[in-house]
Amino acid sequence: MKRKKEVVIKENPMRFYTLADKVVLGLTTFVLLLFFVVLLYPLLYAVISSFAKGVLPLNLIPTRITLEGYIACIEYRYIWTGFRNSVIYTLLGTGIALLVTICCAYALSVKHRLRGLMLAICMFTMYFDGGLIPNFLWINKLGLYNTVWALVLPGALSVYNMLVMRTYFENSIPAELHEAAQLDGASEIGYLIRVVVPLSGAVIAVIALYYISSLWNSYFQAMLYIQDLEKLPLSNILRSLLLTAQNAGLTTMDSSTAQKIEERQEVMKYCVIVVSSVPMLVLYPFIQKYFVKGVMIGAVKG
Amino acid sequence: MSLGKNPKATRLRGGWGREWKKYRELYLLFAIPLIILILFKYIPMYGAQIAFRNYKPTKGVLGSDWVGMKYFIKFFESAYFKTTITNTLVLNLYTLATFPLGVIFALMLKYAPLRRFGKTVQMVSYAPHFISTVVVCGLVTLFMNSRIGMVNKVIELFGGTAANWLGRTGAFKHIYVWSDVWQHLGFNSVIFISALAGVSSELHEAAVVDGASLLQRIFHVDIPGIAPTFIIMLILRVGSLMNIGYEKVLMLQNDLNRGASEIISTYTYKIALQSQVPQYSYAAAIGLFTSLVNLILLFGVNRATKSLSGSSLW
């Protein structure tokens, strides 16, 4: 992939461009620059705000620096339990999901009689869904309400991720290996564990990251199924801090008191935002190329 | 995207006994995902029949009385039918209208004169994708704050007047769609960037030799080259036209903007899980209606693009 891109770049040197083309390119640069600012500015504003006392001016230079927002975060107990829960749910959920996805992708990558049927069983769930209420009633009936299983089991097989992995198994692992293993008397499961999985590190990493980011960021399942504050993941704690009961009663106060209260809440909100995004933002520079790779593997047959 | 059936179906000799003997381990492997799918996808689908019954938790799914289309008709006749459908369609069609921006962004990156600058923009553009929806909605509400929000201060800087934008029904769709573009544009363009890298460079050379301008090359070489990818992505997107993004809508919703933000899925959630008297059957009927509309849309669009351009999902 990389080499191909390089070639294309070398074939587009400036000397081929006419004046009109250069105008178009100039505009392109300008729009990209504008977009760059629009992308980055809110992020910077949020991060710097978390350290700023009072409202951060638009030039991003705080009048005074403070850590009181972070101290308030640290003292808020449910941020810690939420953080712990999110880590546990994400790791457990990703482990289960990977196991299920690998088994399914491998079973579908080998040609046999029932493959079409199996594929149809999986694909149908991509396009049709029982709906929120039947799911909710059934999961309660299973006794999963207020347990971690209601969060990690229903999403354990993402058919889309499974298809990406299957494409990789089919295209990137030489069929000769399978024949050789069979001649040597290896069982299918032995072949999967000893040959396919070790050779598929890249795709497994990609899919793991897909599951990690969706589990870490999800809040809706926990909102439906988790009742105890102690068991809530970070997203839900965050949601209740950021989005509920905001501005309640503030409109009736005189505006300077209201503004002071809002400012104090604001600092803590920015801190919570930063704290909860830190794991993903720290990982992001390392993982973003894998995410991109995943999109490309999925698109191989597109 | 290999979403179709295998064209070269293998013909196996021998009976099922031999097949079982050869592949029994594969079938055992498939049992694990099968259990998950049956438990969490197919049984709820079976449970969706409560849409046709007057569901009482004490009586169970099969024990509740059959009432036929009652709840569907109730929905079609209710005052919420028009509002929720309109709002759902407006938000989704508006989001769909921004879909080509991914292609434009990919093209801009491809021809950006300064390579390093292009790469930096590309990398930064992925970042918001990794921030959770909760955080994005939190940021939106913070920035839209009528007194101290950043957006309002920018507006005032340019001579406008600050307002409680999230409380305005007219502004809701713009806030929803453009915050979505902000968050996902970069990541959504990845697939187009890789498709553009696959466009034959000989075609570009030939076009240059023939004296094609940059825009002509884009319109006659690049765009036809990535059209199949674009169409597949578009079909997938249209297939979920009715149910996308309710988590985000739910979080941006408040009493003031409800007229523009009450969509089918948030309404379903509200009448079944937030009200004092949960109307399970009614909510299930609305959910089932949405699923069916999605399915019909997906098949319809797939058939249409197949006959128009030859690209299709299956």
Side-chain angles (χ1 to χ4, degrees):
Chain A
M1 229 5 132
K2 223 170 201 170
R3 192 177 298 158
K4 234 181 195 172
K5 261 188 196 160
E6 299 289 325
V7 172
V8 174
I9 297 157
K10 276 184 192 149
E11 280 159 5
N12 289 329
M14 287 299 269
R15 64 190 161 92
F16 287 131
Y17 295 135
T18 62
L19 184 66
D21 291 349
K22 281 178 184 159
V23 172
V24 172
L25 286 176
L27 269 176
T28 303
T29 315
F30 177 72
V31 174
L32 278 180
L33 200 65
L34 203 68
F35 183 60
F36 186 64
V37 171
V38 171
L39 268 176
L40 209 54
Y41 186 77
L43 294 177
L44 284 177
Y45 190 89
V47 173
I48 299 174
S49 280
S50 70
F51 294 103
K53 196 171 178 70
V55 183
L56 182 66
L58 289 178
N59 62 13
L60 296 179
I61 301 166
T63 40
R64 266 173 63 200
I65 290 178
T66 173
L67 285 176
E68 64 184 35
Y70 284 99
I71 292 166
C73 280
I74 289 169
E75 282 169 355
Y76 188 65
R77 184 163 162 266
Y78 291 114
I79 287 186
W80 292 96
T81 58
F83 208 92
R84 180 200 66 198
N85 291 338
S86 275
V87 170
I88 295 173
Y89 298 164
T90 303
L91 291 180
L92 182 69
T94 306
I96 294 174
L98 274 184
L99 177 78
V100 176
T101 308
I102 291 173
C103 288
C104 192
Y106 183 67
L108 288 176
S109 72
V110 180
K111 290 196 176 89
H112 53 80
R113 265 191 189 180
L114 291 181
R115 185 162 88 148
L117 179 68
M118 289 177 178
L119 196 62
I121 290 173
C122 295
M123 302 265 295
F124 186 67
T125 63
M126 269 178 110
Y127 301 120
F128 191 75
D129 180 58
L132 175 69
I133 307 309
N135 270 299
F136 177 79
L137 294 174
W138 173 243
I139 284 175
N140 283 346
K141 202 170 182 190
L142 282 174
L144 302 183
Y145 188 76
N146 211 10
T147 67
V148 51
W149 308 112
L151 306 182
V152 297
L153 288 180
L157 181 67
S158 147
V159 176
Y160 179 79
N161 288 352
M162 187 276 290
L163 290 173
V164 171
M165 194 178 267
R166 185 190 75 132
T167 309
Y168 186 89
F169 285 170
E170 276 179 349
N171 296 343
S172 306
I173 295 181
E176 292 81 21
L177 281 178
H178 193 213
E179 285 159 26
Q182 276 179 334
L183 283 179
D184 291 344
S187 65
E188 289 284 346
I189 293 173
Y191 173 70
L192 173 62
I193 294 171
R194 284 193 213 109
V195 181
V196 176
V197 171
L199 282 178
S200 309
V203 75
I204 291 174
V206 170
I207 301 298
L209 293 167
Y210 279 154
Y211 281 122
I212 288 174
S213 95
S214 88
L215 283 160
W216 181 267
N217 291 334
S218 75
Y219 83 96
F220 194 67
Q221 294 290 102
M223 189 168 106
L224 289 181
Y225 299 116
I226 301 295
Q227 203 182 16
D228 299 350
L229 265 175
E230 302 275 329
K231 289 185 184 172
L232 280 178
L234 189 60
S235 295
N236 295 69
I237 302 294
L238 202 64
R239 181 176 168 273
S240 60
L241 280 177
L242 290 178
L243 294 161
T244 44
Q246 58 175 14
N247 296 342
L250 286 183
T251 37
T252 52
M253 289 180 213
D254 73 289
S255 91
S256 69
T257 332
Q259 181 151 347
K260 264 184 196 145
I261 295 177
E262 275 184 356
E263 281 172 12
R264 211 172 45 228
Q265 283 179 347
E266 217 86 330
V267 182
M268 175 151 175
K269 283 179 181 176
Y270 282 117
C271 293
V272 187
I273 284 174
V274 172
V275 166
S276 76
S277 305
V278 156
M280 279 293 155
L281 287 180
V282 168
L283 277 175
Y284 154 74
F286 303 101
I287 61 180
Q288 56 108 0
K289 62 175 182 211
Y290 291 107
F291 271 91
V292 175
K293 206 186 235 169
V295 173
M296 297 199 190
I297 296 172
V300 161
K301 284 190 174 174
Chain B
M1 222 145 288
S2 71
L3 300 175
K5 46 185 172 278
N6 176 23
K8 285 179 270 173
T10 41
R11 247 180 246 138
L12 294 153
R13 261 177 272 134
W16 287 102
R18 218 171 126 184
E19 173 85 6
W20 168 250
K21 207 172 165 191
K22 195 168 172 199
Y23 292 114
R24 63 177 185 281
E25 286 183 53
L26 283 181
Y27 295 152
L28 285 176
L29 278 179
F30 188 69
I32 300 170
L34 188 64
I35 290 169
I36 293 282
L37 287 179
I38 289 177
L39 263 186
F40 297 106
K41 299 281 178 193
Y42 284 98
I43 291 180
M45 278 183 210
Y46 176 77
Q49 59 171 287
I50 63 167
F52 302 99
R53 292 170 185 275
N54 183 12
Y55 179 76
K56 295 267 174 356
T58 44
K59 288 185 179 171
V61 171
L62 290 178
S64 302
D65 300 329
W66 186 268
V67 294
M69 304 296 285
K70 182 182 159 194
Y71 290 109
F72 291 89
I73 293 165
K74 185 179 169 189
F75 179 52
F76 299 147
E77 286 174 350
S78 87
Y80 280 103
F81 179 69
K82 217 180 128 198
T83 333
T84 53
I85 297 253
T86 315
N87 289 340
T88 310
L89 285 178
V90 165
L91 288 185
N92 281 303
L93 289 176
Y94 193 177
T95 312
L96 196 66
T98 63
F99 186 71
L101 288 178
V103 178
I104 296 173
F105 184 56
L107 281 166
M108 286 172 116
L109 288 177
K110 177 174 174 176
Y111 291 104
L114 305 161
R115 287 309 298 170
R116 179 150 305 165
F117 171 65
K119 285 274 166 212
T120 316
V121 176
Q122 190 179 350
M123 211 181 115
V124 172
S125 72
Y126 301 153
H129 182 82
F130 299 97
I131 298 173
S132 69
T133 318
V134 181
V135 167
V136 170
C137 292
L139 284 177
V140 168
T141 42
L142 283 170
F143 290 161
M144 296 287 165
N145 183 303
S146 52
R147 260 186 290 264
I148 49 177
M150 181 265 275
V151 169
N152 274 320
K153 287 205 282 177
V154 172
I155 290 173
E156 279 173 344
L157 188 73
F158 286 101
T161 38
N164 180 14
W165 298 107
L166 262 180
R168 295 198 170 180
T169 45
F172 185 82
K173 55 179 183 290
H174 303 295
I175 296 173
Y176 174 83
V177 169
W178 291 102
S179 61
D180 223 51
V181 170
W182 177 79
Q183 192 181 5
H184 298 298
L185 178 67
F187 198 74
N188 287 347
S189 69
V190 171
I191 191 153
F192 300 122
I193 292 171
S194 76
L196 276 176
V199 172
S200 150
S201 51
E202 279 125 46
L203 283 178
H204 274 293
E205 277 165 37
V208 170
V209 170
D210 288 346
S213 73
L214 182 63
L215 284 177
Q216 282 172 324
R217 276 166 57 200
I218 288 174
F219 282 108
H220 298 287
V221 181
D222 284 324
I223 289 185
I226 61 171
T229 314
F230 181 78
I231 287 167
I232 295 281
M233 299 309 288
L234 194 66
I235 299 174
L236 282 174
R237 188 62 196 72
V238 172
S240 52
L241 198 62
M242 296 285 279
N243 63 359
I244 220 78
Y246 65 100
E247 301 195 347
K248 195 172 157 192
V249 176
L250 206 57
M251 282 191 286
L252 291 178
Q253 199 170 61
N254 60 37
D255 289 333
L256 293 172
N257 66 26
R258 188 145 295 167
S261 64
E262 192 77 292
I263 59 171
I264 299 177
S265 34
T266 55
Y267 180 60
T268 317
Y269 173 73
K270 212 152 292 163
I271 58 173
L273 302 173
Q274 275 193 324
S275 73
Q276 295 293 322
V277 192
Q279 298 171 279
Y280 291 128
S281 286
Y282 185 32
I286 301 174
L288 196 61
F289 169 73
T290 320
S291 290
L292 285 174
V293 172
N294 276 331
L295 204 61
I296 292 166
L297 276 176
L298 185 74
F299 275 90
V301 173
N302 194 50
R303 170 162 291 189
T305 51
K306 197 175 193 171
S307 57
L308 284 177
S309 68
S311 306
S312 73
L313 280 180
W314 58 81

